[in-house]
Each structure stands twice: as C-alpha cells, then as structure tokens.
Amino acid sequence: MAFDVHQAVTDKIIATMEAGEAGQWQCPWHRTGGGLPRNAKTGRPYRGINTLSLWVGAQASGYADDRWATYKQWAELRAQVRKGERSTLVVFFKEYEAAEGDDRRRFVARASYAFNAAQVEGAPEAGEPMPASEWTIPEVFDAFVQRTGARVTHGGDAAFYQPSEDRIVMPPRHRFPTAQGYASTMAHELTHWSGAKGRLNRGLTGRFKAQAYAAEELVAELGSAFLMAEMGLEAEPHPTHASYLASWLKLLKSDPKAIFTAASGVAGYLTSLQAGMAQAA
C-alpha cells in the first residue's frame, strides 16, 4: 500500500488527542512561551499543518528548541543528527502538470522528515528563546486586532462572532482570569470572523456536512494558536475546548485531510491584513 502522508500526520494527531482522554493532557497548540517552529537553515517559520505536526513532535519528546531541519540541512550547517534519533514528519506540496487545457495549478502532498536541534550534535547556537509573556504590554495584541479592521464590541458574559451583524462580541477584559485567556479568545473569534463571505468565504458544510460545526471550531482553535505563536504569546484553551474533543476525534478519523483544511491559511490571512492596514494608514 502506498504511503499516505495525510493519514500519517492525522494518525499522529489522533494519538495525541486520545492520550488525553484518560486524564492529564495539554493540546500541543496550547504552549507556554516560545513561538512558531522554524527551519534552522532558512530561518523561516513552518506554516499550516507543519506547525501542528512539529508541535506534536516537540510535545511528545519534550523538545524546548523551536528549530528543525532535515538531515541534509543539518549536515549543510555542519551539524550531525545523532545515531538512532527518530524524525518528525513534515509535508511539502509539489506542483504537478495538469491535463492539457486545464489552467488550474495542482499540487500533491509529499513527505519530508525533520529533526529538532535537540537531536543534533554541533547545532549552531540558538538565539535567546522567547520568554513566557506576562502581558505587561497588551497593546501589542490590541494593535493587531485593530489592524484587522474587525468590528469588536464588549459586553455580557459570552464571546462569539455574530454573522448577521458581522461583529465580534467579547466580555469585558476584566472578566477573564488572564490576559492570555482574553487574547486567545479574541483570536479564536477573529478566526471565525475571517471565514465570512467577502473574506475567506469558508463554507465548510459542503465538505464536512453534519460535522461542519466541529470543523469550524477546530479551525478557530488552530487559528488562535498560530496567531498567538506568531506574536510569541502563549495560547490558552477556549472555554468550549474540552466539549469538542470527542467531535474532533470523530472528524479526524472519518477524514484524514480534515486537519490539513483546518490548519491552512487562516492565520496567514489575518497576518496579511496587518500590512494592508499599515499601508492604508
């Protein structure tokens, strides 16, 4: 049977989720300090499903270093992966030639394998790690939200995106036990906001049918985590997180590509709005 990269990544994430059903568990996307995993050779952050796959690998093995690279890339950095170390799966998408007359760009997922800096002898010195944020300057996040252009109102006890009014409703900041909890919830609702018509138009009903609601909540959880990591801030679970675990497991088991859909594009879209707003200003 041919190797299925979508199934392999999904199986790893399912195993992580199922390990938590018995008791103590922390989602790999709820992390204290640090940022996005980065390629040690290029310095570029990994995106989408690779962010999630590497977070899962780091949590499973207890890696604190955010740097990853392939065996060949570590060798090019004059570092040596230690004998017996196990790699973590990452995915790249290779464009292939479509049928004659088909102008659409088509890509196929291919597997690659990365090793963490902790698995390597002679890795270059790392820069100072991002500290756990204490939210002494919350205006960093507030400015990010403002630059998206989203309409946000504060009041009441519930956080939600209201499609009919195209607005995000948030409880007052002081109602949250921590500033990180407030920011993670805001990023969660911003992700819902990003899917509206006129923006990403993320209609998931056609793809996931009865599981569309659970899929959208998984999109929002991952979008929130990716945004927080980009800013070097730790993500906290959304209040409804635990109630969705069973439905997320069901979704992933029924569709090995679902997590790829959930992890793609959202944080990048919201980040891209920052440049546009800055230019407009």
Side-chain angles (χ1 to χ4, degrees):
M1 183 181 293
F3 178 75
D4 186 335
V5 66
H6 298 97
Q7 191 68 60
V9 171
T10 297
D11 286 346
K12 283 280 188 183
I13 294 165
I14 286 173
T16 301
M17 288 183 167
E18 288 184 329
E21 289 190 311
Q24 294 295 321
W25 181 63
Q26 181 184 18
C27 270
W29 55 86
H30 298 140
R31 309 169 70 247
T32 300
L36 293 170
R38 293 181 177 272
N39 183 276
K41 186 170 188 291
T42 67
R44 290 195 292 268
Y46 289 90
R47 297 292 184 184
I49 193 65
N50 287 330
T51 299
L52 186 53
S53 181
L54 293 174
W55 276 346
V56 167
Q59 177 179 285
S61 300
Y63 300 142
D65 200 308
D66 284 333
R67 295 174 300 159
W68 298 78
T70 64
Y71 188 97
K72 181 181 178 183
Q73 286 176 323
W74 281 122
E76 290 169 350
L77 290 169
R78 300 187 178 181
Q80 177 64 50
V81 176
R82 287 191 293 270
K83 187 175 180 179
E85 293 286 354
R86 300 185 66 176
S87 62
T88 298
L89 178 65
V90 291
V91 181
F92 68 96
F93 293 88
K94 184 176 181 181
E95 188 171 5
Y96 67 92
E97 197 171 315
E100 188 174 347
D102 187 347
D103 295 331
R104 291 174 294 179
R105 298 182 70 191
R106 297 183 179 275
F107 297 87
V108 62
R110 291 285 184 258
S112 185
Y113 299 90
F115 295 87
N116 188 267
Q119 300 175 277
V120 172
E121 298 286 354
E125 286 293 318
E128 285 295 315
M130 286 185 178
S133 65
E134 295 181 0
W135 276 89
T136 52
I137 356 179
E139 53 269 20
V140 171
F141 183 79
D142 292 339
F144 179 93
V145 175
Q146 186 175 8
R147 287 193 296 269
T148 65
R151 179 184 168 213
V152 181
T153 59
H154 289 82
D157 297 318
F160 56 92
Y161 168 62
Q162 186 177 29
S164 61
E165 299 288 332
D166 193 27
R167 66 169 180 160
I168 293 168
V169 178
M170 290 282 291
R173 188 180 300 234
H174 69 266
R175 299 296 296 273
F176 289 82
T178 66
Q180 299 98 300
Y182 172 86
S184 293
T185 301
M186 176 69 83
H188 181 104
E189 301 308 333
L190 270 174
T191 305
H192 285 313
W193 173 87
S194 75
K197 290 181 179 179
R199 289 188 277 276
L200 292 177
N201 194 24
R202 190 175 53 249
L204 298 178
T205 304
R207 166 74 187 279
F208 296 112
K209 299 182 171 56
Q211 293 178 292
Y213 187 78
E216 174 64 21
E217 287 301 319
L218 184 55
V219 169
E221 270 288 270
L222 295 179
S224 172
F226 293 171
L227 285 170
M228 296 292 280
E230 282 188 8
M231 287 181 272
L233 305 171
E234 59 265 31
E236 288 190 4
H238 191 270
T240 60
H241 165 81
S243 65
Y244 284 110
L245 179 57
S247 62
W248 290 342
L249 279 168
K250 181 180 178 182
L251 174 66
L252 268 57
K253 287 179 178 179
S254 65
D255 184 347
K257 293 186 179 180
I259 195 69
F260 286 71
T261 299
S264 65
V266 176
Y269 171 78
L270 291 168
T271 302
S272 72
L273 295 179
Q274 308 297 306
M277 292 293 286
Q279 289 172 3

